[in-house]
Amino acid sequence: AQKVTQAQTEISVVEKEDVTLDCVYETRDTTYYLFWYKQPPSGELVFLIRRNSFDEQNEISGRYSWNFQKSTSSFNFTITASQVVDSAVYFCALSEDDYKLSFGAGTTVTVRA
Amino acid sequence: SAVISQKPSRDICQRGTSLTIQCQVDSQVTMMFWYRQQPGQSLTLIATANQGSEATYESGFVIDKFPISRPNLTFSTLTVSNMSPEDSSIYLCSVEDWARGKNYGYTFGSGTRLTVV
């Protein structure tokens, strides 16, 4: 069964628009961790955030923000005032007690100038 | 955060041959993870490598096809054996990244882009 679902395959926006990426996860563990990674066209994976299951506070880092809602098993990611450099594939991932990462299918974000 | 040196960065190989990918970490880590990313796809865990024990493989991956070595706490290799075009993928190693008591998530190597012809 898919543990992490990213329903949006591709999103295209014009520069300065906000974009929200959805992530829904599934786990029976009470302790787990959620992640977001960025994979630009160059291919490397860039770590964006790690959030544990006991911390439901939303987080903001510059133009990035994350909304964690355990009630709906969602961990959504918003890019505010998008820029061309934000064009990449974004992956949501889940780690349970075995430390392994289960990745979602990824969402390709294209920001047009 | 941890720095991972992965090589080769890319290779083109003939079918039926084998390729060994190396990952060197600049700090000691208990577990190292190997992932495969097929073209246009997400990442799939191949195996977890602990120093001093056999690697643990995920469903669909076997040791004969993807033998792994973990001789010490900073190094691991993944071999892709008897390659076929279906093995063409990006292979990445990863470690859990701790520094001064803070977790920085999982750091990934830059990847090995393998093309089998």
Side-chain angles (χ1 to χ4, degrees):
Chain A
Q2 187 73 12
K3 293 185 178 183
V4 179
T5 300
Q6 295 179 255
Q8 305 148 306
T9 305
E10 295 183 26
I11 300 176
S12 181
V13 297
V14 176
E15 213 169 14
K16 298 184 183 177
E17 287 185 348
D18 297 349
V19 57
T20 295
L21 311 181
D22 298 333
C23 174
V24 175
Y25 62 92
E26 182 180 332
T27 180
R28 294 183 178 179
D29 289 359
T30 54
T31 302
Y32 53 90
Y33 299 88
L34 296 162
F35 302 79
W36 276 94
Y37 283 87
K38 174 183 180 180
Q39 188 175 43
S42 53
E44 76 271 23
L45 272 171
V46 178
F47 167 75
L48 298 178
I49 191 171
R50 171 185 184 264
R51 174 53 51 87
N52 76 56
S53 53
F54 299 106
D55 183 2
E56 286 194 74
Q57 279 193 337
N58 292 331
E59 181 155 340
I60 298 174
S61 177
R63 295 185 297 107
Y64 295 167
S65 62
W66 291 270
N67 181 275
F68 177 28
Q69 297 205 355
K70 287 177 76 171
S71 60
T72 55
S73 298
S74 66
F75 186 45
N76 297 338
F77 171 37
T78 297
I79 304 172
T80 303
S82 60
Q83 300 176 0
V84 172
V85 293
D86 296 327
S87 296
V89 181
Y90 291 86
F91 292 100
C92 180
L94 167 72
S95 174
E96 297 166 297
D97 63 0
D98 54 8
Y99 304 103
K100 299 180 289 189
L101 280 176
S102 298
F103 283 84
T107 298
T108 300
V109 173
T110 302
V111 182
R112 309 186 309 276
Chain B
S1 60
V3 176
I4 301 176
S5 174
Q6 182 174 344
K7 55 184 181 182
S9 59
R10 59 178 64 230
D11 208 341
I12 300 174
C13 300
Q14 297 291 322
R15 69 179 66 200
T17 63
S18 298
L19 175 72
T20 295
I21 302 166
Q22 299 179 4
C23 269
Q24 178 77 51
V25 189
D26 68 345
S27 58
Q28 294 185 335
V29 294
T30 304
M31 291 185 286
M32 292 182 73
F33 305 91
W34 287 97
Y35 289 85
R36 181 178 73 180
Q37 186 176 24
Q38 295 177 299
Q41 303 295 314
S42 184
L43 285 80
T44 301
L45 182 65
I46 297 171
T48 303
N50 291 317
Q51 193 265 335
S53 63
E54 292 284 331
T56 303
Y57 289 83
E58 298 301 302
S59 176
F61 298 96
V62 295
I63 187 171
D64 289 347
K65 176 68 176 177
F66 298 101
I68 288 172
S69 78
R70 183 80 202 274
N72 56 54
L73 291 173
T74 64
F75 186 78
S76 179
T77 68
L78 169 76
T79 299
V80 186
S81 303
N82 189 24
M83 290 183 284
S84 66
E86 292 69 37
D87 295 319
S88 297
S89 297
I90 300 173
Y91 293 86
L92 303 102
C93 61
S94 174
V95 301
E96 192 174 18
D97 198 348
W98 287 89
R100 291 186 292 279
K102 184 173 180 180
N103 188 292
Y104 290 89
Y106 290 80
T107 294
F108 286 79
S110 54
T112 297
R113 192 178 296 267
L114 171 63
T115 303
V116 183
V117 298

